Amino acid sequence: MWGIPVLDGRRILLVISGGIAAYKSLELIRRLKDRGADVRCILTGNASHFVTPLSVQTLSGNKVFDNTFSLTDEHEIGHITLARDCDLVVVAPATANLLAKMAHGLADDLASTALLVTDKPILVAPAMNFRMWGHPATAANMATLKGRGVHSVGPNAGMLAEGESGLGRMAEPAEILAAVESLLAAGPLKGIKALVTSGPTYEPIDPVRFIGNRSSGKQGHAIAAALARLGADVTLITGPVKLPDPANMRVIHVETAREMLGTALGCLPVDVAVCAAAVADWTVSNASKEKRKKDASGQPPPIELAANPDILATLSEKGSARPRLVVGFAAETEKLLEHARAKFVRKGCDWIVANDVSPHSGTFGGDFNTVHLLTQGGAEEWPRISKTDVAERLAWKIADTLKGHP
């Protein structure tokens, strides 16, 4: 089941600060409630410009506290009780301003006072302009907070509210939720070893040219992160990508398909292998150690191709080192299910995640995906959702399957 209520009875204090990403906090509240959590919320003065106290109260089912110390609130609960009568404090979004207050011990409103007085774990989800995130002051503040044991999730790279692109987007609600679950509950994948491949492979033609593909690695990296948040011991093997290494896992960088296969075999045994990498089917058998030149007539030199090793099929082979669950990906531009079913039979894996990567789909390099999950029981069609949500959904399905089949 996707969405097991593992937070039944756990009390979350959610601090919502003033940034455009505050709108995501409404979805986070809903997801926390769906997991069974009791959510209380503090809104900073600026946060109320982005989300209303009424919407937060309606979703949480609890009174919303703001940045004033009313006598009624102090009598009924008090800021110290509010900060300590919880299992976890979540700050989402965590602006540069609030992170600075936390790092320097300032307490000039209810939110910063509660954060200073709490004795419970704190999880922050930073959100700000990429220049603010990259500023040395913010970096120093985050280092200070992490040194004090404050946990963090994100930020992510992508388009920002100002129309610029960079590292500074608040983590998606699904990512924050999984981080909360990881902190408050023994993850359902605790004790499970997972191997994930991600990104493209580059097959050299010569020292400056290569054969590759358009894979960004976003889906594979998201799956690795989702498995880690559920408690798995994850090794991520990634081809060349422009993504930061996910936290809380071992990351190994490779370039070619042969390097990826050798590295994967060296990581065995594992319980689950998810082969999300877009591995080049061919390598250049006559690759040159020097830059290739056109001949005297201006014609390009011939390129000879040879088949690359099949990583998914190799990991799916029967034997003592075979993972209990092997999941492959089928990226197709036409006849999606027909080609995916053929690959499912041919590779010998347990599941295939089939996705449309035709130019109109926007899958390569994009943040959303539409997939079908093929298993021995048939095909499941998943709606178009973010790659983060695809990863979470797949991670929970893996958890359910491995728990049910030791």
Side-chain angles (χ1 to χ4, degrees):
M1 179 189 301
W2 182 35
I4 298 172
V6 297
L7 297 178
D8 273 345
R10 306 310 292 267
R11 294 166 296 179
I12 309 296
L13 176 61
L14 175 61
V15 177
I16 304 172
S17 63
I20 186 61
Y23 79 92
K24 293 184 181 179
S25 65
L26 301 178
E27 173 68 8
L28 177 60
I29 294 169
R30 185 188 67 78
R31 290 184 179 236
L32 288 168
K33 295 285 289 183
D34 286 347
R35 294 295 205 273
D38 178 24
V39 184
R40 288 179 174 175
C41 299
I42 293 177
L43 282 179
T44 67
N46 288 333
S48 61
H49 294 297
F50 298 95
V51 293
T52 67
L54 179 60
S55 60
V56 174
Q57 179 172 311
T58 300
L59 287 170
S60 68
N62 285 316
K63 177 180 175 61
V64 175
F65 300 89
D66 57 24
N67 64 340
T68 62
F69 290 91
S70 76
L71 293 177
T72 302
D73 290 345
E74 285 297 292
H75 175 72
E76 289 178 351
I77 188 167
H79 63 282
I80 294 179
T81 303
L82 180 65
R84 293 184 177 178
D85 189 25
C86 62
D87 297 297
L88 176 69
V89 181
V90 179
V91 187
T95 61
N97 180 60
L98 188 52
L99 291 172
K101 288 183 180 181
M102 293 172 63
H104 293 279
L106 302 182
D108 61 355
D109 60 7
L110 180 56
S112 55
T113 301
L115 288 163
L116 187 60
V117 79
T118 189
D119 58 354
K120 296 300 188 289
I122 299 173
L123 172 69
V124 298
M128 64 198 72
N129 179 270
F130 73 96
R131 292 185 179 87
M132 297 173 71
W133 175 250
H135 195 281
T138 304
N141 290 337
M142 283 300 299
T144 296
L145 294 174
K146 289 182 178 181
R148 295 175 187 160
V150 173
H151 305 274
S152 66
V153 54
N156 296 337
M159 187 60 66
L160 304 174
E162 303 86 348
E164 297 180 299
S165 182
L167 195 62
R169 285 173 59 96
M170 188 175 88
E172 295 301 317
E175 297 175 278
I176 301 171
L177 175 65
V180 169
E181 291 174 338
S182 178
L183 288 170
L184 291 183
L189 290 176
K190 186 175 179 60
I192 294 295
K193 289 187 176 182
L195 171 66
V196 180
T197 66
S198 182
T201 63
Y202 286 176
E203 310 299 326
I205 297 172
D206 57 31
V208 298
R209 303 181 183 92
F210 61 86
I211 295 174
N213 59 54
R214 301 180 188 277
S215 173
S216 66
K218 289 182 178 180
Q219 188 64 84
H221 278 54
I223 291 168
L227 292 170
R229 289 193 298 267
L230 294 188
D233 178 5
V234 179
T235 297
L236 172 63
I237 305 173
T238 177
V241 296
K242 295 180 180 179
L243 302 173
D245 290 347
N248 303 319
M249 67 186 68
R250 180 187 182 201
V251 181
I252 305 173
H253 295 268
V254 299
E255 184 165 289
T256 68
R258 292 186 180 278
E259 290 172 349
M260 185 172 282
L261 175 60
T263 303
L265 293 175
C267 292
L268 298 179
V270 297
D271 297 287
V272 57
V274 181
C275 297
V279 180
D281 291 325
W282 306 287
T283 188
V284 179
S285 59
N286 63 336
S288 173
K289 293 182 179 180
E290 304 296 336
K291 182 181 176 182
R292 288 172 173 255
K293 304 291 185 181
K294 292 180 287 187
D295 62 21
S297 64
Q299 295 300 310
I303 295 176
E304 298 174 5
L305 300 178
N308 261 326
D310 193 321
I311 298 174
L312 177 59
T314 301
L315 294 178
S316 299
E317 291 176 355
K318 304 297 182 183
S320 59
R322 186 193 192 278
R324 292 158 54 192
L325 183 64
V326 180
V327 183
F329 269 68
E332 304 291 345
T333 59
E334 61 174 349
K335 299 179 181 179
L336 176 63
L337 289 179
E338 179 183 337
H339 289 167
R341 288 191 178 101
K343 184 174 183 177
F344 188 25
V345 173
R346 188 170 67 251
K347 301 291 186 177
C349 56
D350 301 296
W351 298 350
I352 282 280
V353 180
N355 60 332
D356 181 0
V357 296
S358 56
H360 72 273
S361 70
T363 300
F364 271 150
D367 295 320
F368 288 82
N369 208 349
T370 305
V371 308
H372 294 73
L373 178 65
L374 276 63
T375 68
Q376 295 295 340
E380 296 179 14
E381 181 178 357
W382 292 3
R384 180 174 171 80
I385 51 179
S386 71
K387 290 182 177 179
T388 299
D389 280 344
V390 170
E392 184 198 17
R393 190 166 182 170
L394 183 64
W396 275 106
K397 193 168 186 69
I398 289 171
D400 291 341
T401 299
L402 293 182
K403 286 189 300 182
H405 300 84

